PDB file of all heavy atoms in Angstrom:
ATOM      1  N   ASP G 105     -35.007   9.351 -27.149  1.00  0.00           N
ATOM      2  CA  ASP G 105     -34.614   8.976 -25.785  1.00  0.00           C
ATOM      3  C   ASP G 105     -34.796  10.121 -24.788  1.00  0.00           C
ATOM      4  O   ASP G 105     -34.776   9.902 -23.580  1.00  0.00           O
ATOM      5  CB  ASP G 105     -33.145   8.545 -25.750  1.00  0.00           C
ATOM      6  CG  ASP G 105     -32.852   7.343 -26.614  1.00  0.00           C
ATOM      7  OD1 ASP G 105     -33.734   6.458 -26.724  1.00  0.00           O
ATOM      8  OD2 ASP G 105     -31.743   7.286 -27.190  1.00  0.00           O
ATOM      9  N   LEU G 106     -34.956  11.333 -25.288  1.00  0.00           N
ATOM     10  CA  LEU G 106     -34.986  12.507 -24.408  1.00  0.00           C
ATOM     11  C   LEU G 106     -36.104  12.498 -23.373  1.00  0.00           C
ATOM     12  O   LEU G 106     -35.861  12.906 -22.230  1.00  0.00           O
ATOM     13  CB  LEU G 106     -35.018  13.793 -25.232  1.00  0.00           C
ATOM     14  CG  LEU G 106     -33.720  14.097 -25.980  1.00  0.00           C
ATOM     15  CD1 LEU G 106     -33.869  15.388 -26.782  1.00  0.00           C
ATOM     16  CD2 LEU G 106     -32.540  14.182 -25.041  1.00  0.00           C
ATOM     17  N   PRO G 107     -37.321  12.041 -23.678  1.00  0.00           N
ATOM     18  CA  PRO G 107     -38.343  12.038 -22.621  1.00  0.00           C
ATOM     19  C   PRO G 107     -37.929  11.206 -21.396  1.00  0.00           C
ATOM     20  O   PRO G 107     -38.120  11.643 -20.251  1.00  0.00           O
ATOM     21  CB  PRO G 107     -39.573  11.453 -23.318  1.00  0.00           C
ATOM     22  CG  PRO G 107     -39.395  11.823 -24.755  1.00  0.00           C
ATOM     23  CD  PRO G 107     -37.910  11.701 -24.994  1.00  0.00           C
ATOM     24  N   ALA G 108     -37.345  10.052 -21.617  1.00  0.00           N
ATOM     25  CA  ALA G 108     -36.913   9.208 -20.490  1.00  0.00           C
ATOM     26  C   ALA G 108     -35.765   9.875 -19.739  1.00  0.00           C
ATOM     27  O   ALA G 108     -35.731   9.864 -18.497  1.00  0.00           O
ATOM     28  CB  ALA G 108     -36.485   7.834 -21.006  1.00  0.00           C
ATOM     29  N   ILE G 109     -34.831  10.473 -20.455  1.00  0.00           N
ATOM     30  CA  ILE G 109     -33.691  11.143 -19.821  1.00  0.00           C
ATOM     31  C   ILE G 109     -34.164  12.356 -19.024  1.00  0.00           C
ATOM     32  O   ILE G 109     -33.691  12.598 -17.909  1.00  0.00           O
ATOM     33  CB  ILE G 109     -32.633  11.508 -20.881  1.00  0.00           C
ATOM     34  CG1 ILE G 109     -32.031  10.225 -21.474  1.00  0.00           C
ATOM     35  CG2 ILE G 109     -31.553  12.398 -20.286  1.00  0.00           C
ATOM     36  CD1 ILE G 109     -31.175  10.434 -22.711  1.00  0.00           C
ATOM     37  N   LYS G 110     -35.119  13.097 -19.567  1.00  0.00           N
ATOM     38  CA  LYS G 110     -35.680  14.241 -18.830  1.00  0.00           C
ATOM     39  C   LYS G 110     -36.350  13.777 -17.541  1.00  0.00           C
ATOM     40  O   LYS G 110     -36.231  14.433 -16.495  1.00  0.00           O
ATOM     41  CB  LYS G 110     -36.669  15.011 -19.699  1.00  0.00           C
ATOM     42  CG  LYS G 110     -36.015  15.854 -20.760  1.00  0.00           C
ATOM     43  CD  LYS G 110     -37.061  16.584 -21.593  1.00  0.00           C
ATOM     44  CE  LYS G 110     -36.435  17.409 -22.689  1.00  0.00           C
ATOM     45  NZ  LYS G 110     -37.436  18.093 -23.522  1.00  0.00           N
ATOM     46  N   GLU G 111     -37.048  12.645 -17.579  1.00  0.00           N
ATOM     47  CA  GLU G 111     -37.687  12.100 -16.377  1.00  0.00           C
ATOM     48  C   GLU G 111     -36.631  11.721 -15.341  1.00  0.00           C
ATOM     49  O   GLU G 111     -36.807  11.952 -14.141  1.00  0.00           O
ATOM     50  CB  GLU G 111     -38.562  10.898 -16.714  1.00  0.00           C
ATOM     51  CG  GLU G 111     -39.914  11.274 -17.263  1.00  0.00           C
ATOM     52  CD  GLU G 111     -40.689  12.168 -16.300  1.00  0.00           C
ATOM     53  OE1 GLU G 111     -40.975  11.744 -15.164  1.00  0.00           O
ATOM     54  OE2 GLU G 111     -41.007  13.312 -16.688  1.00  0.00           O
ATOM     55  N   TYR G 112     -35.545  11.131 -15.800  1.00  0.00           N
ATOM     56  CA  TYR G 112     -34.433  10.782 -14.911  1.00  0.00           C
ATOM     57  C   TYR G 112     -33.939  12.034 -14.188  1.00  0.00           C
ATOM     58  O   TYR G 112     -33.801  12.047 -12.963  1.00  0.00           O
ATOM     59  CB  TYR G 112     -33.309  10.150 -15.741  1.00  0.00           C
ATOM     60  CG  TYR G 112     -32.025   9.927 -14.997  1.00  0.00           C
ATOM     61  CD1 TYR G 112     -31.815   8.772 -14.251  1.00  0.00           C
ATOM     62  CD2 TYR G 112     -30.992  10.864 -15.054  1.00  0.00           C
ATOM     63  CE1 TYR G 112     -30.622   8.562 -13.578  1.00  0.00           C
ATOM     64  CE2 TYR G 112     -29.802  10.660 -14.386  1.00  0.00           C
ATOM     65  CZ  TYR G 112     -29.619   9.508 -13.646  1.00  0.00           C
ATOM     66  OH  TYR G 112     -28.437   9.308 -12.983  1.00  0.00           O
TER      67      TYR G 112
END
Side-chain angles (χ1 to χ4, degrees):
D105 299 326
L106 290 179
I109 294 169
K110 285 180 182 179
E111 280 303 299
Y112 171 86

